[in-house]
Amino acid sequence: MRRFSIALLAAVTLSGALSAVPAQAHDRQQSLGIDHCTATACHFDVPPGTYDVRVTLGGEAASGTSIGGETRRSLLPETAVAAGERVTRSFTVNVRTPEGEPTGPDGTPGLDLTLGGSAPALAGIRVTPALHARQIILIGDSTVCDQPGDPYSGWGQQLPQYLRRGLSVANYADSGESTVTYLQNPQLWATVQPLIRPGDLVLVQLAHNDKTTDEATYRANLETLVAGIRDRGGEPVLVTPIVRRWFNADGTLNNNTALLVNGLGVDHPAVIRAVAAAEGVPLIDLTAKTKALVESLGVEGSKALYLYNEKRDNTHTSAHGAFVYAGLVRDELLARHLVPEGKARVG
């Protein structure tokens, strides 16, 4: 792999002991450095786990650098640095197999980062095991998942860039899943539940694909997920689904398609709210938040949030829409004191 240009200064190092890794692997990881990065990407040969990444940004000219990783996750928003200056930013990243959707391909082993922005300039990088990170596990569908291909993006794919170091997003949302299929598929709930650790947050947004699920079953499935999360010492958070961009003639979204009421008349957001209240579970009412936003933007302005222009798709979000909706989730987590204040990009 080619070395950095002059704007990409200093060495790239991987340091810190990997306690669960054999000595030979540890020696190899200690040797990772600038030869494992190009002007646009870095690859670190590390096993699955959670890692803190500390980057130094800047170069001789003014720069603007963003960082993504793994399956198109946004890990660091574009950061501007004046000419000749350096800034340090940190974030925590989850490395897993499969690296994207749980039922998708394995992806590339190790940690892959991509450098973007208006004028990327990476002066240094240090990757170490995150020994005390708290997981935010996501259970959901295609509106949440790490979407493998452009122009699609789930809000869970955009959430990491909003969070401080020490918070790791482990996105186990999967396209096409309902509460029924998520519980039944051994690649999903049976795989994810054992990964929950005491103190982890587990956000659940499943509704879009429960089109033929009756109310009693839907409620029971949500209760099963809540109980299973608590059995592992995790903290469940129920999330109502994002709205579909389906306007009435008067410019409102007050219809069953937009508000996720299925063909059996099951009002998914209402059931989620009721289960959250009955079980004493924190609720993020993303249906109400996204409804208010989409209606405020109107028929034309709201198109940019979804893939209407690209695909005539009023359900799945663009990268911009996913970014905006992830911000709503972050705001709700902060408001409920479920995550600490601040993006903690420095240091």
Side-chain angles (χ1 to χ4, degrees):
M1 303 179 84
R2 68 185 179 85
R3 291 181 177 269
F4 283 123
S5 66
I6 192 169
L8 304 177
L9 306 174
V12 178
T13 59
L14 177 74
S15 61
L18 299 176
S19 58
V21 182
Q24 290 180 336
H26 171 70
D27 290 342
R28 184 181 58 190
Q29 285 159 351
Q30 287 283 59
S31 69
L32 293 177
I34 197 167
D35 288 338
H36 293 266
C37 288
T38 70
T40 58
C42 295
H43 172 76
F44 299 97
D45 185 15
V46 296
T50 305
Y51 295 89
D52 288 329
V53 180
R54 183 177 186 270
V55 295
T56 302
L57 307 175
E60 294 180 350
S63 61
T65 308
S66 62
I67 298 178
E70 298 297 271
T71 302
R72 303 179 61 241
R73 301 179 215 160
S74 295
L75 301 172
L76 187 75
E78 180 160 350
T79 302
V81 183
E85 295 187 2
R86 304 288 183 272
V87 299
T88 301
R89 298 290 185 266
S90 297
F91 55 87
T92 300
V93 61
N94 170 260
V95 177
R96 60 182 184 269
T97 303
E99 71 176 35
E101 296 178 271
T103 62
D106 284 353
T108 305
L111 171 60
D112 288 284
L113 301 176
T114 56
L115 307 176
S118 57
L122 179 69
I125 184 167
R126 181 171 178 262
V127 178
T128 55
L131 302 179
H132 304 291
R134 186 187 190 192
Q135 292 187 117
I136 300 178
I137 294 175
L138 305 182
I139 291 173
D141 52 36
S142 58
T143 65
V144 184
C145 75
D146 287 349
Q147 288 280 359
D150 186 68
Y152 293 89
S153 182
W155 61 255
Q157 206 162 16
Q158 301 290 331
L159 185 60
Q161 66 187 302
Y162 282 107
L163 303 174
R164 61 181 298 165
R165 183 181 62 183
L167 290 171
S168 169
V169 176
N171 192 349
Y172 288 96
D174 196 73
S175 293
E177 306 300 341
S178 65
T179 58
V180 175
T181 61
Y182 205 96
L183 287 168
Q184 289 178 344
N185 190 332
Q187 292 178 280
L188 299 172
W189 179 237
T191 298
V192 175
Q193 187 190 22
L195 301 176
I196 300 171
R197 305 174 307 198
D200 286 343
L201 282 179
V202 185
L203 277 58
V204 179
Q205 186 215 278
L206 287 167
H208 279 89
N209 300 302
D210 279 280
K211 298 174 183 177
T212 60
T213 309
D214 63 80
E215 183 168 340
T217 301
Y218 185 65
R219 180 185 295 268
N221 289 345
L222 292 175
E223 291 169 347
T224 296
L225 289 165
V226 167
I229 294 164
R230 285 174 166 167
D231 285 346
R232 294 290 301 173
E235 184 172 356
V237 179
L238 292 180
V239 183
T240 61
I242 68 169
V243 294
R244 293 190 176 100
R245 185 188 162 277
W246 202 271
F247 284 93
N248 294 328
D250 64 359
T252 68
L253 299 180
N254 294 316
N255 58 75
N256 288 354
T257 300
L259 299 182
L260 284 298
V261 179
N262 73 10
L264 301 178
V266 180
D267 186 332
H268 293 106
V271 176
I272 295 169
R273 295 178 190 117
V275 171
E279 298 291 328
V281 174
L283 173 74
I284 295 177
D285 198 341
L286 203 51
T287 304
K289 293 287 184 182
T290 55
K291 178 179 184 292
L293 177 59
V294 170
E295 287 181 342
S296 72
L297 291 173
V299 174
E300 291 301 317
S302 62
K303 288 179 178 178
L305 296 174
Y306 292 83
L307 293 174
Y308 179 84
N309 294 323
E310 299 87 347
K311 303 285 185 178
R312 294 298 187 267
D313 186 333
N314 292 306
T315 297
H316 297 96
T317 49
S318 62
H320 168 68
F323 170 79
V324 172
Y325 287 176
L328 297 177
V329 173
R330 185 277 314 269
D331 291 346
E332 291 297 295
L333 291 173
L334 287 172
R336 285 157 180 73
H337 306 290
L338 295 170
V339 298
E341 292 280 352
K343 297 179 182 178
R345 300 292 178 204
V346 180

